[in-house]
Amino acid sequence: MNIWTFIKDKKKRKVWLRAFRIWQHRPHEVAPLVEETQQCASCGTVYTGQYCPRCGQSKIVGRFSFKKALTLFFDTWGIGNRSMTRSIRDLLLRPGYMIRDYIRGMQSAYFPPFKMFFLLTALSLLVENSSALILGAKKEQTKEQTTEQKAEQTAQATQGTTELMSDGDKKMEARLKKVGNDFFTFMDRLQEKNQAIFSLLMMLLFFMPMYLFLRKSPTIPDLRYSEFVIALVYISNSFTVYQIVADIQNLEIINILGAFMALAAFSQFSGYGKFRILLSLILTAVFSMILLVGLVILAIYIMYLTV
């Protein structure tokens, strides 16, 4: 059937959407246990099932092919692992329900959240740097022009006030500028050297107040902060997948879709409506910005005292 015919058919569309929602709520089903007995090719143990209980090797062992060698290569990075592809699929289509399943104990079915975070961050940086190589000249030129314009605006804005300052005020201003520049230079270097860890720490800091809005949610009334961190990392992984696709396709609308899916993930995970989640995110952003500004001012003040 033509896809447009299917979309226009209201009755069939309702049936498909209902089936999709049922699938979203349904946890992952493990394959039934194989009853036939076999002997492990690795350790010689006789067992029943799909994996050896002694060494963990699969019962499906054959000669190496190009496909198997390629699978082993990707397995080294976790990309070829079946739980990785399943995790990405569920993070795109049923993110909140998948996270809830993982927290409730279904951990072997999905890729570990932190390992997935670092792999996707590395892949995102690779895609971003590849795009930068293609568009590097234009971006660099635009960056230089923007930097020059900002420098001119800053010089014009401070010229009048500098003339009215005393020598003591000028020295204090120069000292504060130096401390501020040193602090932001340090943060930039820290971000460049440890992109994944820096992003993880900033995400946990920025979304810390969000836990207060979700800790008594309808689906998990006794939500622990550690469980909230797991959910937050998975939701970040979901957004990173959209971000990677957006960078490859050079379509900003995919990033917008990723933001909407992150909102849906919080809603599915907590059981709250999207309006309440949106309000919680806005309040979280306000509290986090106040906290972040306070920490920056405190850090600059400590550096100012020690200089």
Side-chain angles (χ1 to χ4, degrees), residues 67-81 119:
K67 180 180 178 181
K68 189 171 183 179
L70 189 63
T71 302
L72 289 173
F73 170 76
F74 283 119
D75 278 343
T76 305
W77 305 98
I79 299 174
N81 194 301
L119 285 170

Side-chain angles (χ1 to χ4, degrees), residues 6-265:
F6 175 78
I7 293 174
K8 292 178 182 178
D9 194 328
K10 187 176 180 181
K11 185 177 180 181
K12 291 186 177 181
R13 188 171 67 249
K14 283 185 176 180
V15 172
W16 183 86
L17 288 174
R18 179 175 175 79
F20 177 69
R21 291 193 184 99
I22 293 173
W23 173 83
Q24 280 187 312
H25 286 79
R26 185 183 300 152
H28 169 69
E29 296 180 359
V30 181
L33 190 65
V34 178
E35 297 182 357
E36 60 181 17
T37 303
Q38 49 254 330
Q39 185 176 14
C40 179
S42 180
C43 64
T45 303
V46 178
Y47 65 96
T48 302
Q50 295 175 325
Y51 296 92
C52 175
R54 185 178 178 184
C55 66
Q57 180 168 286
S58 173
K59 74 180 184 69
I60 305 173
V61 178
R63 297 186 64 183
F64 279 90
S65 61
F66 178 77
K67 180 180 178 181
K68 189 171 183 179
L70 189 63
T71 302
L72 289 173
F73 170 76
F74 283 119
D75 278 343
T76 305
W77 305 98
I79 299 174
N81 194 301
R82 286 197 313 168
S83 63
M84 171 64 106
T85 54
R86 186 187 303 119
S87 300
I88 292 177
R89 181 201 67 184
D90 285 10
L91 282 175
L92 294 179
L93 299 178
R94 51 185 300 269
Y97 304 120
M98 171 253 170
I99 296 168
R100 203 191 307 167
D101 293 340
Y102 184 86
I103 290 176
R104 287 175 176 173
M106 191 176 288
Q107 298 177 7
S108 63
Y110 297 105
F111 204 77
F114 290 98
K115 188 176 181 180
M116 187 178 186
F117 177 83
F118 286 109
L119 285 170
L120 289 176
T121 301
L123 182 59
S124 176
L125 289 173
L126 180 63
V127 173
E128 185 179 346
N129 291 332
S130 299
S131 302
L133 288 175
I134 298 173
L135 303 174
K138 293 182 178 179
K139 288 184 178 180
E140 191 65 29
Q141 185 178 1
T142 305
K143 185 178 179 180
E144 290 177 359
Q145 292 176 353
T146 305
T147 306
E148 291 176 359
Q149 291 175 357
K150 286 183 178 180
E152 290 178 2
Q153 292 174 359
T154 304
Q156 291 175 0
T158 57
Q159 184 178 3
T161 56
T162 305
E163 293 176 353
L164 298 175
M165 288 183 180
S166 63
D167 292 338
D169 292 336
K170 289 178 182 179
K171 289 180 180 179
M172 183 178 292
E173 184 192 21
R175 190 177 176 186
L176 283 172
K177 283 183 178 180
K178 183 180 181 303
V179 171
N181 290 331
D182 291 344
F183 174 76
F184 287 110
T185 301
F186 169 77
M187 296 299 290
D188 287 339
R189 289 177 180 175
L190 183 65
Q191 182 180 4
E192 290 176 1
K193 293 181 179 179
N194 306 281
Q195 179 79 36
I197 296 177
F198 183 85
S199 300
L200 181 62
L201 292 176
M202 290 301 294
M203 179 181 65
L204 294 179
L205 175 65
F206 191 79
F207 279 94
M208 190 182 295
M210 188 71 180
Y211 171 68
L212 301 176
F213 297 107
L214 300 182
R215 62 191 181 94
K216 295 186 180 296
S217 60
T219 55
I220 310 178
D222 56 342
L223 180 68
R224 299 176 179 177
Y225 183 70
S226 56
E227 294 172 335
F228 170 73
V229 170
I230 296 295
L232 188 60
V233 173
Y234 264 133
I235 293 173
S236 174
N237 293 340
S238 172
F239 183 77
T240 303
V241 172
Y242 282 99
Q243 194 175 39
I244 291 171
V245 176
D247 289 338
I248 294 174
Q249 299 294 327
N250 197 22
L251 291 174
E252 188 62 30
I253 192 172
I254 299 179
N255 281 327
I256 298 175
L257 178 61
F260 277 109
M261 287 307 298
L263 179 66

